Amino acid sequence: MLSSILLLAALQLSAAHFSIEYPTWRADTLAENTTYDQWRYPCAGAAPGAAGRTEWPVQGGSVALSLHHEWTYVFVNLGLGTNASAFNVSLTPDFVNVTGRGTYCIPSLPLPIQPRDGDNATIQVVTSGKSGSALYNCADITFRSSAQPLSGDKCKNSTGITAEYVGQAPAPSAGSSSNSTSASNPPGNAAAAKQLDAVAMIAMFGFSMVYVLDVGL
Ligand SMILES: *[C@@H]1O[C@H](CO)[C@@H](O)[C@H](O)[C@H]1NC(C)=O
Ligand SMILES: *[C@@H]1O[C@H](CO)[C@@H](O)[C@H](O)[C@H]1NC(C)=O
Ligand SMILES: *[C@@H]1O[C@H](CO)[C@@H](O)[C@H](O)[C@H]1NC(C)=O
Ligand SMILES: *[C@@H]1O[C@H](CO)[C@@H](O)[C@H](O)[C@H]1NC(C)=O
Ligand SMILES: *[C@@H]1O[C@H](CO)[C@@H](O)[C@H](O)[C@H]1NC(C)=O
Ligand SMILES: *[C@@H]1O[C@H](CO)[C@@H](O)[C@H](O)[C@H]1NC(C)=O
Ligand SMILES: *[C@@H]1O[C@H](CO)[C@@H](O)[C@H](O)[C@H]1NC(C)=O
């Protein structure tokens, strides 16, 4: 009984994982038989540069995600350098609750910094759902003044995807020492963590039940 509940919980959790459709993510962290783990800060255990680097506009570009949950908080951070250790530039100061499953494409994320042509960086996408704890994926980029955001036909939201403004997310914490995978300390930063506390509480007290019920038992 216990093991089948755990199995169902695990299945439901894997369904809640997400992928980065654009720019190319470091690795397919959803693939079977790998050591990737989306719960793992900062990049699910995928090595920098593992899938090369996408040329991304110096004035900011597109990010497309595939979301697999009823609703998802989405944060996009930037880490500067070829092997960033701090993902401390927030590209989503206004963070959103995205409702629906499918592709969520942000046509052009403005940059709060001014990179130079040729600078390397890593886009870190953090999502959080009703469990309150965070999932991570990264995509490595090189800033190019010649690069363009995705065209309209390549950047579309799936039918039924909507996003609701939830609040302001101040700059994410600098270090990787922050316990970002803990349910009581969700992604990004302290203020966001406060706002997510209610979500985390639900997770801590109703976690297995919620997921088992979702599966339809
Ligand atoms: C993963 O490993 C299991 C057990 O070894 C095997 O049955 C399965 O085919 C593997 N899946 C892939 C995609 O390689
Ligand atoms: C990236 O930096 C970390 C330490 O911050 C180091 O352990 C790792 O080997 C580096 N990876 C590459 C590919 O340079
Ligand atoms: C981000 O962290 C790096 C390394 O710790 C630091 O050099 C940089 O100034 C920080 N940037 C911001 C915007 O906080
Ligand atoms: C996010 O949106 C969904 C669907 O509208 C809603 O059920 C959920 O409560 C929202 N989450 C939060 C934490 O506001
Ligand atoms: C950016 O990364 C590429 C490959 O990962 C490397 O060849 C290049 O030297 C890096 N550029 C800078 C400015 O560090
Ligand atoms: C997808 O939906 C979000 C939220 O409504 C919106 O900001 C974004 O522009 C949409 N993307 C496209 C390609 O229309
Ligand atoms: C992170 O949180 C977990 C669970 O709350 C805890 O066991 C672990 O010691 C914490 N790690 C750090 C570095 O604070």
Side-chain angles (χ1 to χ4, degrees):
M1 180 59 184
L2 179 61
S3 65
S4 58
I5 286 176
L6 290 177
L7 177 64
L8 286 170
L11 287 173
Q12 186 64 18
L13 283 174
S14 66
H17 285 33
F18 73 102
S19 50
I20 302 180
E21 294 180 357
Y22 181 88
T24 306
W25 58 348
R26 279 188 180 178
D28 180 356
T29 58
L30 293 174
E32 276 182 65
N33 299 344
T34 67
T35 56
Y36 303 125
D37 175 7
Q38 293 193 3
W39 300 104
R40 201 151 115 215
Y41 181 92
C43 293
R53 296 181 172 273
T54 302
E55 300 199 336
W56 212 69
V58 285
Q59 73 280 10
S62 316
V63 169
L65 310 175
S66 175
L67 304 175
H68 305 149
H69 210 284
E70 281 169 66
W71 59 268
T72 314
Y73 281 133
V74 174
F75 306 80
V76 183
N77 300 321
L78 198 65
L80 302 177
T82 303
N83 182 5
S85 55
F87 296 85
N88 54 356
V89 179
S90 172
L91 303 187
T92 50
D94 297 339
F95 72 95
V96 292
N97 178 1
V98 182
T99 306
R101 297 180 173 89
T103 300
Y104 172 60
C105 186
I106 308 165
S108 184
L109 275 169
L111 292 177
I113 51 154
Q114 288 184 315
R116 284 165 308 185
D117 183 279
D119 282 352
N120 290 330
T122 299
I123 290 174
Q124 178 199 47
V125 180
V126 187
T127 69
S128 178
K130 67 183 149 195
S131 78
S133 49
L135 295 169
Y136 303 92
N137 273 309
C138 294
D140 295 310
I141 59 169
T142 298
F143 286 108
R144 287 288 172 216
S145 36
S146 57
Q148 296 296 321
L150 289 178
S151 57
D153 58 327
K154 293 200 176 116
C155 180
K156 285 182 178 151
N157 288 331
S158 294
T159 312
I161 289 269
T162 57
E164 185 193 7
Y165 169 81
V166 178
Q168 271 207 310
S173 64
S176 54
S177 59
S178 76
N179 196 345
S180 307
T181 55
S182 149
S184 58
N185 188 10
N189 56 73
K194 277 203 191 92
Q195 297 184 25
L196 288 170
D197 261 1
V199 184
M201 294 304 276
I202 294 167
M204 279 144 70
F205 295 109
F207 181 81
S208 324
M209 242 17 227
V210 167
Y211 280 105
V212 170
L213 288 174
D214 266 6
V215 171
L217 284 186

